[in-house]
Amino acid sequence: MLQTFISKILAMAAFTLLSASLCAQPLAPFELKYEARYEGFKASAERFLEILEDGRYRIHSNAHMSFLGKTLTRVREESIFHYEQNLLRPQRYEFIQSGFGKRSRRAEFDWQDKVALTEVDGEEKQLELFPAVLDELSAFLEITRQLALGKTDIYFQAIDDDEIKDYHYRLTDREALKSPLGLLNTLKVERIWEAGNPRKTELWFAEDWNLVLVKLHQVSGSGKDLDLNLKTAISDGKTVMPLTP
């Protein structure tokens, strides 16, 4: 379970962007910093979104897990994608974990030939691409894109390791949430798992700040808890501030 901890943190930290008024506009660059806790282990993660010179977007993340003051593992993750006509189209995805739980995975998207080449720990596989298939990071941006369009049930497909999977999320509540950053108005979203699956995923997005992820709570199939909390954030050049009393 520990070797998947950081990847879960990074994946969920990727949820961000877009208010309803900006959903048809270029994506707002951001800088996010998180703290996490999993069964006594602590981790921290940073994530950035930038616009490249050729007009594409790049999300890149760095994270590390420590125990008793020592770093156990580090992760580097990035996604390069186009954002045109309010649609996300990934070009390249890469995930590299060093130290404890060493592993890697990549995906190259060839939209002209409608195929994706994946590589998981050195093993390659070719997948048929369907319209709007995403990678593991752009997939989470798709959640906020659909929220900004007013959808309450969110569906998409994404490459997970070396296969394409279906995802379903649902908007379940609006609440003022206390966080390390302060009190924020949030939208609460839950992942809808298949019947009988004991896993649980809950996410809270800052309603007034381009839907940056404020909090994640996840319960694994074995009952292990993961909590992720936003420490600081800059969205579209502005520092995210809590509600005033």
Side-chain angles (χ1 to χ4, degrees):
M1 296 298 298
L2 291 178
Q3 61 263 39
T4 64
F5 176 41
I6 291 291
S7 60
K8 288 180 180 179
I9 291 172
L10 290 177
M12 295 305 175
F15 288 104
T16 178
L17 299 175
L18 299 176
S19 66
S21 63
L22 295 176
C23 64
Q25 302 299 317
L27 303 181
F30 62 75
E31 301 177 18
L32 308 174
K33 294 185 179 182
Y34 293 93
E35 59 184 17
R37 185 174 294 274
Y38 176 80
E39 298 297 310
F41 288 86
K42 294 181 180 181
S44 61
E46 297 178 328
R47 169 147 289 143
F48 306 89
L49 176 69
E50 59 181 336
I51 304 175
L52 302 178
E53 291 184 359
D54 61 8
R56 294 182 300 170
Y57 288 82
R58 176 180 179 239
I59 308 172
H60 56 105
S61 304
N62 292 287
H64 72 274
M65 182 199 299
S66 60
F67 181 67
L68 298 178
K70 295 184 178 180
T71 298
L72 298 180
T73 185
R74 292 184 182 275
V75 166
R76 178 176 64 83
E77 188 175 22
E78 76 167 18
S79 173
I80 306 292
F81 64 94
H82 285 285
Y83 180 67
E84 298 173 343
Q85 298 180 341
N86 204 27
L87 293 175
L88 297 156
R89 175 164 287 196
Q91 303 295 306
R92 185 178 74 248
Y93 169 81
E94 182 177 52
F95 173 98
I96 298 176
Q97 181 169 339
S98 59
F100 182 79
K102 180 180 179 180
R103 58 190 178 136
S104 66
R105 57 184 181 269
R106 298 176 177 83
E108 297 280 348
F109 293 76
D110 185 340
W111 291 102
Q112 182 174 348
D113 292 335
K114 297 182 174 59
V115 295
L117 179 64
T118 66
E119 181 182 328
V120 179
D121 295 329
E123 295 187 10
E124 294 186 351
K125 183 177 179 180
Q126 185 170 289
L127 302 175
E128 180 182 359
L129 273 183
F130 303 100
V133 170
L134 305 164
D135 63 52
E136 294 183 53
L137 295 187
S138 59
F140 296 117
L141 298 180
E142 178 66 10
I143 292 178
T144 50
R145 187 191 75 85
Q146 293 194 35
L147 282 175
L149 293 174
K151 295 185 179 182
T152 56
D153 275 285
I154 297 164
Y155 300 89
F156 56 84
Q157 291 183 313
I159 295 177
D160 182 359
D161 285 346
D162 61 356
E163 61 181 313
I164 295 175
K165 293 184 179 180
D166 296 313
Y167 292 82
H168 178 198
Y169 288 82
R170 179 174 295 155
L171 176 63
T172 59
D173 201 2
R174 283 181 166 85
E175 63 178 272
L177 181 72
K178 292 182 179 179
S179 73
L181 196 151
L183 188 67
L184 296 167
N185 289 324
T186 64
L187 301 180
K188 182 181 179 182
V189 173
E190 296 185 19
R191 181 170 178 179
I192 307 302
W193 297 93
E194 62 273 15
N197 192 323
R199 289 181 287 182
K200 185 175 184 179
T201 302
E202 299 174 305
L203 307 112
W204 289 259
F205 300 95
E207 192 171 10
D208 304 322
W209 295 95
N210 296 325
L211 299 180
V212 297
L213 178 68
V214 177
K215 179 180 175 64
L216 158 74
H217 176 66
Q218 186 175 64
V219 180
S220 70
S222 60
K224 304 293 186 181
D225 286 289
L226 165 67
D227 287 290
L228 177 73
N229 290 282
L230 182 67
K231 295 194 301 183
T232 64
I234 298 174
S235 177
D236 202 18
K238 298 178 181 178
T239 300
V240 174
M241 301 295 292
L243 297 171
T244 56

